[in-house]
Amino acid sequence: MRNVLIALSVVFWGIVIYYAYSQMMPRAQYGVLFLGGILLLYIWHQLMEMSGGGNGSLLADLKAAYAPGNRLTATLLTLSAIDVLATTIYMATNFHALYVTRSGRALEFELYGAAVFTLVIIYLTYRSFGFTFLAIVLLGIVYGRYGMYFPGAFQHGGIGWGRLMRILVVSVDGFFGFLTRLVAAWIALFLLFAGFLRSYGAFDLIMRLAFRAAGYIDSGIAQTAVLSSAVIGSVNGSQTANASMTGSFTIPLMNRYGIKSETSAGIEAVASTSGQVLPPVMGAGAFIMANLITGITYVDVIMAGLIPAAVLVVTIFMGVHYVSVPQLGKVDLDELIQEPMPRSEFYTEVVKYGIPMGVLIYQLGIAQVTVMTAALHTSLSMMLTATGIPLLQAGAGLSDETVVEAGKRGVWETLNGARVGVIVLAPVAIILAAINGVVDILTATGVPGYIALTLMELSGGRLWLASLLAVIISILLGLGMPTTAAYTIVALLIAPTMINQFLLPELAGHFFVFYAAILAGLTPPIATTIAVAAGISGGDFWGSAVEGIKISAPLFVLPFAFVYHPEIVSATFTGPVLLSGALALAGGIAIIHGINYPMGFGMVINVPARIVFSVLGLITMVHPTRTWQLGALVLIVVLYVLQAFVGKPQPLSSLPGPTIFPKKKQKEPDAVEADPK
């Protein structure tokens, strides 16, 4: 079954690549074929997992998949596959009639078929993301049908079942709507790139670089999680999936060197979340943002995201340093890297993976081709360098492999990369298809207008209160969702209110809800990213959530900086823009310092000092008046100087090299703020 999945994945990616090259059919029709294909591959992969991995003979694997304990699930998956195949063939072959000729109308049997397909999407959504997201999808459908029973401004006349099925399926919108087409045209090829990176060994190189960094700073082991999770997560559309992928290695590593289970879970969850905002991919959110905002390009979105990403990464680095150093024991680099990589091989690996990244940057930043073309060229260049360089080395006698062995390994890694790409892509495609259906229903009911009116009414037109309410709503709407789905919901429901009613620039409005939505993965009681990381570490969920929030506190403030200083995300880099970014960074560091630094003064001084640092950091980040910001920054510097010169532990003393202030003699460990336990 595994080999069949690989073969089908190669066929699937061949079609995706050919469409990116030729665009031989309307994108809506291609979206139908794409969703049908990825759903069938997902179902096959689920059956393969039920068989125990799919490594036996095909017949033996199928028997294991349909064993008595799996029979009901396997039957449901098989029936789902039959319906997906039938629906895809019918809609693709009758595309012109459904999308153009009979738009807005449907035959009776089409409505019944749409109802069955809707049940299949609901079932596959449940299998991918569990009850939490299933409840959101069901609530959206129930609200569309029975809106007449909802209270207040959210009441509407209700959508009949026939119209509901046309919205969700028959009109080639809903599950097949703009998000599915976006995944098919843009996001899919980047996830193929992510599959290649994993299969060719790029993740191993990233981890090695992170380990090397551990030798230059005391918190290096913890920073490996930040570096590896952020880089890998930037091409992954789900912070939860990323925490599972990288956390399975980084969390046990941190625990082994003395970091508490709750702290390691919090660090990994925050690091995985930070990857979702790192350019150039931004966890696939950048693609959706560029598609939703008229008049801007994908490059504009990436440029706008640079300053806030820098603020977030630096503050997380400081937070992780503060919380991990007191817990870490001695780190032996030789133990970390048991098989050292020769320098020549290291440089070869850098070239192998650096060329595709260079192609991506050149294509988007200089040549300014379409995202689909850039993704196509990036994926193909990754395939060429990863297979071609080992062949050249083998031919020149620079490796232990023969040309044939290098060729076989390259082919197998490419095939496996295609399989990994499908596995990563399938859940993203499923949840965005489901979200697209819910969004189309909500749009048909007029609920975005209701939300705008409600926000205006509750806030009384006050921007700070409306922003606070919008962040709370964004977190609630994003609970249990991956980044792309959470952002899509809030971008269509909340961002228009902030832009139209409170006159925020479009980029600022969308970055506001984008950053707010990803907070859901860190916010209890759901906090899916925390839950996954805590499950790996074995730590307490609530303790892990507290640790994560302490490290990521500036992330909860940063959306408000976009509201009061929208120039931070204006995609320009003038003097005032850089000053606003620098003040946001300084304020974020002050908040991290106030919350996490072990001050060691005793409770009477510690608590007020933490509050003062945090409040001053908040003012420096978001206050609309520049004078207030600069005044708060001056006070932060003064307080830091006072803290450093009264003989207490210095914030920068454990960093290598010279520090701002000369080191003073440290007190014994028992003088440092103790754990209450």
Side-chain angles (χ1 to χ4, degrees):
M1 291 188 75
R2 182 186 177 89
N3 290 338
V4 171
L5 177 62
I6 290 174
L8 294 175
S9 299
V10 170
V11 173
F12 173 81
W13 287 119
I15 295 172
V16 171
I17 291 172
Y18 182 69
Y19 177 81
Y21 172 75
S22 65
Q23 299 185 42
M24 68 284 195
M25 65 180 70
R27 184 172 293 187
Q29 187 177 17
Y30 169 62
V32 172
L33 293 172
F34 173 86
L35 183 61
I38 196 63
L39 290 180
L40 290 172
L41 288 172
Y42 174 77
I43 292 170
W44 184 264
H45 178 255
Q46 292 291 295
L47 290 170
M48 186 189 81
E49 291 296 307
M50 290 165 54
S51 73
N55 294 313
S57 67
L58 180 59
L59 184 59
D61 286 343
L62 288 172
K63 285 183 178 179
Y66 286 86
N70 300 329
R71 195 159 293 162
L72 176 60
T73 301
T75 301
L76 289 174
L77 287 170
T78 303
L79 294 175
S80 298
I82 294 171
D83 182 72
V84 168
L85 182 62
T87 302
T88 302
I89 292 174
Y90 180 82
M91 295 191 67
T93 53
N94 295 276
F95 171 76
H96 190 268
L98 296 171
Y99 197 63
V100 181
T101 308
R102 290 192 286 110
S103 178
R105 293 173 290 133
L107 304 176
E108 186 174 1
F109 77 90
E110 291 174 341
L111 297 178
Y112 287 118
V116 175
F117 186 76
T118 300
L119 292 175
V120 169
I121 290 291
I122 290 172
Y123 175 63
L124 295 181
T125 300
Y126 159 71
R127 287 198 62 84
S128 298
F129 294 94
F131 282 105
T132 301
F133 189 71
L134 174 66
I136 294 172
V137 175
L138 292 177
L139 180 61
I141 295 174
V142 169
Y143 176 71
R145 178 65 185 89
Y146 299 106
M148 69 286 287
Y149 299 113
F150 280 71
F154 292 93
Q155 187 178 84
H156 62 90
I159 300 174
W161 285 114
R163 186 186 172 201
L164 204 60
M165 292 303 103
R166 289 198 302 273
I167 291 173
L168 289 175
V169 182
V170 181
S171 64
V172 200
D173 281 317
F175 301 135
F176 301 99
F178 82 96
L179 282 179
T180 294
R181 298 164 203 166
L182 184 66
V183 174
W186 290 10
I187 297 176
L189 284 168
F190 276 100
L191 294 182
L192 173 62
F193 178 53
F196 282 157
L197 286 175
R198 186 172 181 180
S199 180
Y200 290 135
F203 290 1
D204 177 64
L205 178 63
I206 292 170
M207 295 302 296
R208 285 178 178 271
L209 289 172
F211 289 153
R212 285 300 173 191
Y216 297 97
I217 185 171
D218 291 348
S219 60
I221 286 295
Q223 302 297 349
T224 61
V226 177
L227 177 60
S228 58
S229 298
V231 173
I232 296 170
S234 67
V235 293
N236 190 329
S238 171
Q239 62 210 84
T240 305
N242 190 60
S244 176
M245 182 190 304
T246 59
S248 60
F249 182 81
T250 60
I251 290 174
L253 180 68
M254 287 187 280
N255 291 346
R256 190 172 73 192
Y257 282 95
I259 294 180
K260 294 187 300 183
S261 297
E262 288 78 11
T263 305
S264 63
I267 290 172
E268 175 58 43
V270 173
S272 295
T273 300
S274 70
Q276 303 300 297
V277 301
L278 286 187
V281 181
M282 291 170 59
F287 305 128
I288 300 175
M289 191 180 298
N291 192 264
L292 291 176
I293 305 176
T294 56
I296 71 163
T297 65
Y298 171 76
V299 176
D300 293 328
V301 175
I302 295 305
M303 298 298 286
L306 289 176
I307 292 177
V311 172
L312 187 61
V313 169
V314 173
T315 54
I316 289 175
F317 171 86
M318 296 294 293
V320 169
H321 182 75
Y322 280 166
V323 301
S324 63
V325 167
Q327 303 178 36
L328 275 171
K330 183 175 175 58
V331 177
D332 184 358
L333 278 180
D334 293 332
E335 182 182 349
L336 279 178
I337 306 176
Q338 296 180 357
E339 297 181 6
M341 180 182 290
R343 189 178 297 273
S344 58
E345 184 180 349
F346 171 77
Y347 289 141
T348 302
E349 293 290 292
V350 171
V351 170
K352 183 195 299 185
Y353 305 118
I355 288 176
M357 292 304 298
V359 169
L360 175 62
I361 294 170
Y362 172 80
Q363 294 268 281
L364 292 175
I366 299 175
Q368 295 191 357
V369 300
T370 64
V371 175
M372 182 163 53
T373 301
L376 172 63
H377 291 167
T378 301
S379 298
L380 292 178
S381 64
M382 179 77 260
M383 193 188 311
L384 289 174
T385 58
T387 56
I389 289 178
L391 284 174
L392 292 175
Q393 288 179 305
L398 299 177
S399 70
D400 297 332
E401 292 180 309
T402 65
V403 173
V404 174
E405 290 172 340
K408 286 182 178 180
R409 181 169 62 85
V411 169
W412 175 249
E413 289 176 346
T414 302
L415 295 176
N416 192 51
R419 179 189 66 86
V420 173
V422 162
I423 293 172
V424 174
L425 171 63
V428 175
I430 289 170
I431 196 169
L432 287 183
I435 281 292
N436 209 144
V438 172
V439 166
D440 282 358
I441 291 174
L442 296 179
T443 302
T445 64
V447 73
Y450 306 152
I451 291 177
L453 291 173
T454 302
L455 265 181
M456 286 295 292
E457 182 180 346
L458 292 175
S459 67
R462 289 169 295 212
L463 180 57
W464 70 270
L465 184 54
S467 301
L468 181 61
L469 292 172
V471 166
I472 294 172
I473 294 172
S474 297
I475 291 174
L476 292 174
L477 291 174
L479 291 176
M481 295 192 195
T483 306
T484 46
Y487 166 64
T488 303
I489 284 283
V490 297
L492 295 173
L493 299 182
I494 305 299
T497 302
M498 302 302 295
I499 294 167
N500 299 325
Q501 302 298 325
F502 293 95
L503 305 180
L504 277 184
E506 280 195 292
L507 272 172
H510 279 268
F511 267 94
F512 170 75
V513 297
F514 177 58
Y515 270 70
I518 65 174
L519 294 173
L522 299 173
T523 307
I526 304 297
T528 51
T529 312
I530 293 286
V532 168
I536 297 172
S537 73
D540 175 66
F541 170 79
W542 288 99
S544 302
V546 170
E547 291 293 319
I549 291 173
K550 285 167 58 180
I551 297 168
S552 63
L555 177 58
F556 288 79
V557 180
L558 201 52
F560 299 97
F562 304 151
V563 172
Y564 288 102
H565 296 281
E567 67 273 10
I568 292 176
V569 287
S570 62
T572 59
F573 299 97
T574 61
V577 172
L578 294 176
L579 178 58
S580 295
L583 288 170
L585 175 59
I589 292 175
I591 292 173
I592 286 293
H593 182 78
I595 294 175
N596 296 288
Y597 180 65
M599 296 184 180
F601 291 103
M603 189 68 69
V604 175
I605 298 179
N606 279 353
V607 173
R610 293 188 187 283
I611 293 173
V612 170
F613 267 112
S614 300
V615 171
L616 289 175
L618 178 66
I619 294 173
T620 306
M621 286 187 74
V622 304
H623 200 283
T625 305
R626 189 71 83 197
T627 305
W628 277 80
Q629 288 182 290
L630 294 173
L633 179 60
V634 170
L635 290 176
I636 290 170
V637 174
V638 170
L639 287 175
Y640 178 88
V641 171
L642 288 174
Q643 175 186 333
F645 275 97
V646 294
K648 297 301 177 182
Q650 296 172 22
L652 300 180
S653 62
S654 55
L655 292 173
T659 59
I660 295 177
F661 304 106
K663 294 184 181 181
K664 293 191 175 183
K665 185 177 180 180
Q666 301 286 329
K667 292 193 174 182
E668 293 299 318
D670 59 356
V672 179
E673 193 172 33
D675 190 314
K677 294 181 182 179

